[in-house]
Amino acid sequence: MPLTSGQSLAAEGNRIVAGDRTIKEQVEKGKLVLFEPDASVRDALTVLLQGEGWVVLPVSTCDELRLAVEQNGLTAVISESTLPDCAPGEILVLCSGHNVPVVFTGHDLSLQGAVDLIRQGALDFLDKPFPQTRLLDLLDRLANRQNG
C-alpha cells in the first residue's frame, strides 16, 4: 500500500513506520565491539553494521576495548590488527577470557601473519578493503551459531 498525501516515514526504535503501519521491523542481531583507530572507517562500519541490525560499541583505544569487553552479551569484537597501543595477542587474550570471538581486519599484515592470528584463536582475518558482504555473512553465521 503506497503512502498517501501527508503520510511520512518515521523510525521508531527498531521499526520503520508509515502512518499507522509498520513497514519494516529490524531485529537486533547482537552486540559488537568495533576497535578501529581510523575515525572515518569506524564511522562507516558502524553505520553499515547498525543498518544490518547490530548494536555497535565503537572504541578507539585499548582501554576502551577492555571496558567494552567486560560487558556481558557481546557477539564479537571486530578489530584492526595493527594498533599503536594494543597488540593482536593482547586482544585475543582479553577476548578469550570473556569467550568473545575476534575478527581482525587490516591491510599491512602478511598472509603468514593472518594465518598466525587465526591459529592463535581469531575467528577470521579480513584484508582491507574487504567486501562488506564477507563481514556481514561472517557475523550472521556467528550470531546464528550463538543463538541456535
Side-chain angles (χ1 to χ4, degrees):
M1 179 182 263
L3 291 176
T4 60
S5 179
Q7 266 188 330
S8 62
L9 290 175
E12 294 179 2
N14 62 349
R15 300 181 309 147
I16 298 174
V17 178
D20 60 352
R21 296 177 295 125
T22 298
I23 303 296
K24 180 180 179 187
E25 186 147 359
Q26 187 85 23
V27 176
E28 186 179 296
K29 293 181 178 181
K31 190 186 305 182
L32 304 170
V33 174
L34 177 59
F35 190 3
E36 171 60 58
D38 183 320
S40 61
V41 174
R42 187 174 56 247
D43 292 346
L45 283 173
T46 297
V47 168
L48 169 71
L49 294 167
Q50 287 175 337
E52 292 294 319
W54 293 96
V55 174
V56 180
L57 304 171
V59 300
S60 59
T61 68
C62 203
D63 288 336
E64 290 175 351
L65 175 68
R66 282 187 194 94
L67 291 173
V69 168
E70 290 173 357
Q71 296 183 25
N72 291 324
L74 291 178
T75 302
V77 167
I78 302 167
S79 176
E80 166 66 44
S81 61
T82 307
L83 299 162
D85 68 337
C86 203
E90 292 176 70
I91 296 169
L92 286 169
V93 168
L94 172 67
C95 292
S96 67
H98 294 276
N99 295 317
V100 177
V102 180
V103 176
F104 283 106
T105 65
H107 60 275
D108 58 354
L109 199 62
S110 68
L111 176 60
Q112 186 59 53
V115 169
D116 289 346
L117 285 177
I118 293 170
R119 285 181 178 161
Q120 293 171 31
L123 183 63
D124 205 345
F125 179 87
L126 304 177
D127 194 36
K128 290 179 180 176
F130 52 84
Q132 294 174 351
T133 55
R134 184 163 174 215
L135 175 62
L136 296 174
D137 290 346
L138 174 67
L139 293 173
D140 283 344
R141 285 192 311 272
L142 180 60
N144 290 337
R145 191 170 44 201
Q146 288 181 347
N147 296 328

